Amino acid sequence: MIELRNVSKKFANGHVALNNISLNIDNGEFVFLIGSSGAGKSTIIKLLMKEHETDSGKIIVQGKDITKLKRAQIPYLRRSIGVVFQDFRLLPDKTVYENVAFAMEVTEASAKEIRRQVPIVLGMVDLSKKSKQYPHQLSGGEQQRVSIARAMVNGPSILIADEPTGNLDPEMSWEIMKLFNEINLKGTTIIMATHDLNIVNKMKKRVVEVSDGVIVRDEKRGGYFSENQNL
Ligand code: ADP
């Protein structure tokens, strides 16, 4: 369902961030993207969201080569992919409910649909009781759960997370991983870039390692990675 075929990306300053990478991800897979800072993980994610253009190669998402998408079609691509960031990116002056509802409002969902769907996803992340709170009143783990609810509210088939546990302590990180597991079990494909080898080792999912813009390792079921490995 996601295929990168011979994809290269060079930035305007001449830096080659990705050098002829190929990667296939099936429907419903859970994939960790690992690699040291600057390896190219975020570049892969941004290419999938069409925040960057490829220089060469194809990127096929749900049967469509997104490198050929017209500008007007990009919002539809982005709607089919939920995204979670390290720094949550919640709107500070909106409540939990409003933050999640906003992601539906921009898709022009009806008020009725929004009233139906938002409580469902807030229940899924166990935040029904905090729907009227503002982000600053929540713990980091709770804020990240709001951002997961927001990413899932439009029913995406793919969830991409860029270092989602980077700002969280180990206990909160595990709550987030449990949630990702549940979301994945319901059929959503998950791609998660991370430095947290403890999580990667324990989850036993597919691990794709990027180094200097190339894929250097692809393990179907989370191989062992030394804690001291310099990631
Ligand atoms: P990672 O997510 O693995 O830390 P990135 O994908 O962010 O790595 O970056 C890959 C490489 O591309 C790095 O060397 C980074 O400095 C470079 N890079 C990323 N974005 C840009 C940009 N907009 N312009 C120039 N170089 C960039």
Side-chain angles (χ1 to χ4, degrees):
M1 76 150 344
I2 298 172
E3 183 182 357
L4 285 85
R5 204 184 298 160
N6 303 112
V7 170
S8 294
K9 173 67 190 170
K10 190 181 190 176
F11 285 107
N13 62 2
H15 183 83
V16 177
L18 294 175
N19 187 4
N20 196 28
I21 67 160
S22 294
L23 177 66
N24 278 304
I25 298 173
D26 285 336
N27 262 328
E29 271 201 277
F30 192 133
V31 182
F32 285 115
L33 273 185
I34 66 163
S36 55
S37 189
K41 305 179 298 295
S42 301
T43 303
I44 294 176
I45 287 173
K46 286 178 181 157
L47 290 176
L48 286 171
M49 303 296 298
K50 219 168 154 66
E51 281 176 30
H52 289 325
E53 297 295 329
T54 44
D55 294 318
S56 57
K58 287 183 174 187
I59 301 182
I60 294 155
V61 177
Q62 288 150 338
K64 280 204 186 108
D65 183 355
I66 65 162
T67 62
K68 300 211 171 83
L69 278 190
K70 303 240 162 58
R71 189 180 289 264
Q73 296 170 307
I74 295 175
Y76 297 100
L77 168 76
R78 297 201 179 138
R79 234 167 269 171
S80 70
I81 304 178
V83 199
V84 173
F85 302 97
Q86 176 170 358
D87 55 0
F88 322 134
R89 301 196 191 176
L90 300 174
L91 298 168
D93 53 356
K94 286 190 187 288
T95 64
V96 165
Y97 184 97
E98 289 163 352
N99 264 282
V100 178
F102 187 66
M104 287 189 83
E105 285 159 14
V106 296
T107 71
E108 284 160 22
S110 69
K112 192 174 160 198
E113 269 178 284
I114 295 173
R115 277 198 305 272
R116 195 176 71 89
Q117 197 57 25
V118 175
I120 294 175
V121 286
L122 286 179
M124 177 189 83
V125 300
D126 200 17
L127 282 176
S128 305
K129 293 199 181 110
K130 305 234 165 167
S131 66
K132 294 197 174 94
Q133 310 261 20
Y134 287 86
H136 72 90
Q137 297 172 308
L138 304 176
S139 71
E142 287 169 337
Q143 290 184 56
Q144 194 57 301
R145 274 154 46 205
V146 178
S147 93
I148 293 169
R150 179 183 58 188
M152 293 306 296
V153 76
N154 291 314
S157 54
I158 303 164
L159 179 64
I160 293 182
D162 198 352
E163 291 281 349
T165 61
N167 285 345
L168 304 179
D169 65 30
E171 200 179 320
M172 286 182 181
S173 298
W174 279 112
E175 280 178 28
I176 299 300
M177 295 318 299
K178 270 196 252 163
L179 203 45
F180 280 169
N181 229 351
E182 284 167 24
I183 290 169
N184 179 241
L185 285 173
K186 287 185 196 143
T188 306
T189 306
I190 298 192
I191 303 173
M192 170 170 159
T194 186
H195 280 107
D196 193 333
L197 293 185
N198 192 26
I199 284 178
V200 173
N201 284 339
K202 287 204 180 117
M203 294 284 290
K204 304 263 186 292
K205 304 289 186 190
R206 181 173 170 195
V207 180
V208 173
E209 183 176 354
V210 188
S211 175
D212 273 339
V214 295
I215 291 172
V216 292
R217 181 168 186 176
D218 187 348
E219 307 254 349
K220 278 290 167 207
R221 267 185 97 70
Y224 177 77
F225 294 85
S226 158
E227 298 291 325
N228 297 324
Q229 199 170 326
N230 185 20
L231 290 180

